[in-house]
Amino acid sequence: VLTLTDEGKASFVYQPGLMSRLTADMRLTADEARAFGRQHSICCACGQLLEDDRSIAAALFHKRAQNLLDANDVVNAIEDLDQSLKLKPDQAEVLCLRGMALLAYGEEQKALDDFIRAAELDPGDYQPLFEQGRIYARQGNYAKALELYEAAVALKPEDPDPYNGLVWLLATCPDPALRNGEKALEAGRTMLDMTGEDDPFYLDTMAAAYAEAGLFDQAVAAQSKSIRILTRTGQELYPGSRERLELFQQNATYREP
């Protein structure tokens, strides 16, 4: 927050949370952002300490892109992320965010390139590995997807999302050499330990794991519960939810097309 001292000089006091209120349609120019950063050595958009003018402008474009994505303005968000990366190319977080935006825009290969580069820059971050895994799975490169999901789980074992990708692949992969009901069940139980058993998204995945492990009564129960929760809360059913339920009721497993 900008305040005036008793001497009439401007000073900056950082208050956590206020920076998140920056709006997507903010009219501050890059030059104004640089001027602010030079004076206060802190980004007007995100509150981070800054090193130089390029860092100031890059951080501004990054923050505005985040808000544009929250507003579902993918096209303008990608433009801002492009600008941020032109100013500072080796930003792993920005590359990962642009990858997700490009994926939403249908630019799968460009998104994959961003995720690969982000993982190179920050090998300790699970997100770009997980996102790569999702793309490779959609492309049918299941062995590569499995490798990436396992790496993501190893990096962030306390997060259910990489487990979700791993469980789904182990349970539903068309390649019998990669399917493994026992491992899917083990990873799925770890996932549900984190999420509880009332999240329809993870229950939907767990149902497939139960089925692959031959536990069809539990598969039916988990899939039915997922559908009930989504219906009760007014949410759309996941694609294929009812079809998978019918398979499980017939003691049949589900395979990705």
Side-chain angles (χ1 to χ4, degrees):
V1 178
L2 276 175
T3 60
L4 291 177
T5 65
D6 291 338
E7 294 79 20
K9 296 180 179 178
S11 65
F12 181 83
V13 179
Y14 176 60
Q15 294 185 11
L18 289 180
M19 292 304 159
S20 64
R21 300 179 190 175
L22 182 69
T23 60
D25 60 353
M26 187 189 73
R27 299 303 181 207
L28 190 64
T29 68
D31 285 342
E32 290 169 333
R34 291 189 187 97
F36 183 94
R38 280 195 295 270
Q39 182 176 356
H40 303 289
S41 298
I42 196 165
C43 176
C44 59
C46 64
Q48 296 178 355
L49 292 175
L50 298 168
E51 304 158 2
D52 52 41
D53 283 2
R54 297 178 74 83
S55 297
I56 296 165
L60 173 64
F61 282 120
H62 178 198
K63 179 61 181 178
R64 189 170 65 178
Q66 290 175 314
N67 289 315
L68 287 165
L69 286 173
D70 288 342
N72 294 317
D73 188 350
V74 177
V75 173
N76 284 314
I78 291 172
E79 289 182 1
D80 272 4
L81 293 166
D82 288 344
Q83 291 296 324
S84 182
L85 288 164
K86 283 180 182 177
L87 291 161
K88 289 191 69 178
D90 292 339
Q91 300 178 82
E93 183 181 358
V94 179
L95 281 162
C96 194
L97 185 62
R98 188 176 68 176
M100 287 186 277
L102 287 166
L103 203 55
Y105 194 59
E107 295 281 0
E108 191 171 86
Q109 187 55 52
K110 289 182 179 179
L112 181 59
D113 292 342
D114 274 357
F115 293 136
I116 290 172
R117 180 59 181 150
E120 291 170 350
L121 290 168
D122 187 359
D125 185 5
Y126 86 96
Q127 191 73 45
L129 298 179
F130 175 62
E131 298 298 340
Q132 286 180 64
R134 293 174 61 198
I135 292 174
Y136 281 119
R138 280 196 296 273
Q139 293 178 345
N141 191 341
Y142 300 113
K144 183 66 174 178
L146 180 59
E147 174 189 330
L148 288 159
Y149 284 150
E150 288 175 337
V153 165
L155 283 174
K156 198 75 178 289
E158 70 276 16
D159 192 305
D161 284 342
Y163 275 99
N164 185 74
L166 177 62
V167 172
W168 185 260
L169 185 61
L170 288 170
T172 69
C173 183
D175 185 348
L178 297 177
R179 276 197 318 275
N180 190 314
E182 184 177 342
K183 286 185 178 180
L185 197 60
E186 180 182 359
R189 285 171 172 160
T190 300
M191 177 182 71
L192 289 191
D193 284 343
M194 289 184 269
T195 66
E197 299 195 12
D198 292 312
D199 189 310
F201 179 69
Y202 299 106
L203 282 171
D204 184 77
T205 298
M206 192 63 191
Y210 283 133
E212 183 59 28
L215 303 174
F216 291 104
D217 288 345
Q218 289 169 264
V220 169
Q223 192 71 56
S224 298
K225 186 174 183 180
S226 174
I227 290 172
R228 283 199 307 274
I229 293 171
L230 290 169
T231 302
R232 186 177 68 243
T233 55
Q235 302 178 64
E236 291 186 11
L237 297 186
Y238 304 128
S241 289
R242 292 197 185 279
E243 291 79 3
R244 286 192 294 278
L245 177 58
E246 291 176 4
L247 285 172
F248 304 154
Q249 288 170 335
Q250 298 166 19
N251 288 358
T253 56
Y254 171 76
R255 298 286 174 264
E256 280 281 22

